[in-house]
Amino acid sequence: MPISRFLFFSSKHRFRQPLNLIRSCSSTRITNPAGGLLGLAGIATFVHYNDERRAVRKGQGENSGPNRVTGPIIGGPFTLIDTENRLVTEKNFLGNWILLYFGYTSSPDVGPEQVQMMAKAIDILDSKKNLKILPIFVTIDPQRDTPAHLRAYLKEFNSRIVGLTGPVGAIRQMAQEYRVFFKKVEEEGDDYLVESSHNMYLMNPSLEVVRCFGVEYTAEELAEEISKEMKKAST
């Protein structure tokens, strides 16, 4: 199944990160076949240009004035439901190093591989490096992934993985804030798949995204890179 990679750029929220974070998340720009109108093309070019200007290392843009560039923004507040049907927000996770992944339980290939990698990586960090990471799985298919279904699915990988679901609108808003693309792909009958990006985000205890990991990592490599980031933050 082809995996689309697309990053939404938003300037509404407060988490600021450097250019290498954006570069670490490879992307494919998706265009609208009907968007041939010059006006729409001009708007898209303008938005992309401004996002590119924002995507620079903090402090390396214009040095003063109202046009000073302070860096791109990833993340934001959210309100979702955990696998015990409890309402949770981003504030519930403050103080923890977090490995965040957006997926869905019906994913036939890449999704289970990524969750397995997440589970193995946190075990390596815990047992070999004595580092604690809170793994969080946010479903992008809330219509099928009920709290109970999500709980049973994640238990098969690692019971420490926190599962989050919620209304479609809330999931879409969070996905946009974290530049996660997903799209329903209809199949025969009532069945469907969900095309999506498969990036994982490492977040520090202040809930700032510090690294983005793609599907090219093994569990051992992922654990090593997370360890480096945590040690870097402690020095």
Side-chain angles (χ1 to χ4, degrees):
M1 179 185 73
I3 304 299
S4 299
R5 295 174 179 275
F6 178 77
L7 302 182
F8 287 99
F9 290 87
S10 168
S11 60
K12 295 187 295 183
H13 301 289
R14 66 181 181 275
F15 300 115
R16 303 177 184 277
Q17 301 301 326
L19 175 60
N20 57 3
L21 175 62
I22 298 300
R23 286 176 173 168
S24 69
C25 299
S26 58
S27 64
T28 300
R29 188 170 294 107
I30 298 176
T31 57
N32 183 348
L37 295 177
L38 292 179
L40 293 178
I43 292 172
T45 302
F46 176 78
V47 171
H48 174 68
Y49 168 73
N50 279 280
D51 283 330
E52 289 298 316
R53 290 184 69 246
R54 283 194 292 271
V56 300
R57 188 178 296 275
K58 186 175 181 179
Q60 292 185 1
E62 299 176 43
N63 293 324
S64 61
N67 293 321
R68 181 177 180 183
V69 179
T70 55
I73 302 166
I74 295 179
F78 59 85
T79 301
L80 296 176
I81 301 168
D82 69 11
T83 56
E84 302 300 326
N85 286 290
R86 296 173 299 203
L87 202 65
V88 297
T89 73
E90 74 287 350
K91 295 178 182 178
N92 291 94
F93 304 111
L94 281 168
N96 296 284
W97 280 90
I98 292 170
L99 189 58
L100 176 67
Y101 177 68
F102 292 79
Y104 68 111
T105 64
S106 301
S107 177
D109 38 41
V110 180
E113 292 174 2
Q114 291 299 97
V115 180
Q116 182 63 49
M117 182 177 71
M118 170 190 274
K120 187 174 180 180
I122 63 172
D123 280 342
I124 293 172
L125 287 163
D126 188 9
S127 62
K128 296 184 178 181
K129 299 181 181 292
N130 196 30
L131 296 173
K132 302 295 183 182
I133 297 288
L134 179 63
I136 298 179
F137 179 104
V138 179
T139 181
I140 53 175
D141 185 17
Q143 292 171 292
R144 292 186 294 196
D145 289 343
T146 63
H149 186 74
L150 195 55
R151 180 173 63 250
Y153 176 79
L154 295 175
K155 188 177 180 180
E156 294 296 319
F157 296 94
N158 192 308
S159 59
R160 288 186 292 171
I161 301 176
V162 175
L164 297 179
T165 185
V168 173
I171 295 294
R172 287 195 175 278
Q173 179 181 342
M174 186 177 180
Q176 182 173 344
E177 290 166 346
Y178 283 86
R179 297 176 177 84
V180 174
F181 165 77
F182 69 95
K183 183 180 77 171
K184 183 186 293 188
V185 179
E186 302 290 347
E187 296 204 320
E188 293 183 6
D190 295 328
D191 197 15
Y192 62 87
L193 295 175
V194 182
E195 288 187 355
S196 70
S197 51
H198 286 277
N199 297 316
M200 287 187 189
Y201 295 101
L202 177 64
M203 303 174 69
N204 66 22
S206 297
L207 298 188
E208 298 167 333
V209 176
V210 296
R211 281 289 297 274
C212 175
F213 302 101
V215 297
E216 69 274 13
Y217 287 84
T218 65
E220 292 76 13
E221 292 169 342
L222 179 61
E224 183 62 30
E225 292 302 312
I226 290 174
S227 175
K228 289 179 182 177
E229 292 295 334
M230 293 179 72
K231 289 177 180 177
K232 187 190 304 181
S234 65
T235 56

